[in-house]
Amino acid sequence: MKKFIIIFLAIVALLPIRSMSADWTYSFVVYSGDIYEISSEELVPSNEIDKKIGQVTRYSDHEGTYSGNFSNTYPKGTPYYSIKNTDPKEIIAVQTNEAEFVKAINKGQYANGQLEGKTIWFFIIGSLVIVLLIIWIIKRKYR
């Protein structure tokens, strides 16, 4: 019975934890490793749009660590554009529908993108420790 409980607890510990919907402080997109806050009040006239520079590659309203051009507001495929005479490292335009573009202002590096790889390693190391602990307990019991 103890063996069953230990194995059950180990399996439960290895299950990924899903968070509930996040209460984001603001709407954002991530482009090229930086987070851009959406300025829903500032539209960019279509004659100021320059060229497509990217798109949302992942959408989620759950807190977590994500990589790529992630957004908490816009669906996968939503395009990003540069704005004429504006550095895309400072401001970009996000297309919200066929003829509307909103301004997105760079707020700095998106730290969660750096954490994704570290989270995976913590999970792998934690899993290995649990498995080794179970093996040690089983061997000790049968000596």
Side-chain angles (χ1 to χ4, degrees), residues 85-141:
N85 304 316
T86 305
D87 183 0
K89 278 303 227 179
E90 303 211 7
I91 299 172
I92 61 173
V94 179
Q95 188 171 11
T96 57
N97 64 45
E98 192 163 323
E100 188 174 87
F101 301 87
V102 293
K103 191 179 280 189
I105 302 164
N106 191 328
K107 295 297 182 180
Q109 192 171 20
Y110 177 61
N112 284 352
Q114 297 173 344
L115 296 175
E116 187 168 35
K118 292 178 184 176
T119 303
I120 292 168
W121 280 108
F122 284 131
F123 177 76
I124 291 170
I125 291 170
S127 301
L128 183 61
V129 168
I130 291 171
V131 169
L132 291 174
L133 182 62
I134 291 170
I135 292 170
W136 178 76
I137 291 171
I138 292 171
K139 280 187 172 185
R140 187 167 176 198
K141 182 179 178 179

Side-chain angles (χ1 to χ4, degrees), residues 10 12 17-18 23 33 38 43-44 49-50 52 56 61 64-65 76 79 81-82 86 92 107-108 126 129 131 139:
V12 169
I17 298 171
R18 298 286 309 193
D23 183 20
I38 302 300
L43 297 178
V44 179
I49 299 300
D50 193 16
K52 183 176 177 181
V56 174
D61 64 350
T65 55
K76 183 177 177 179
Y81 290 87
S82 59
T86 305
I92 61 173
K107 295 297 182 180
V129 168
V131 169
K139 280 187 172 185

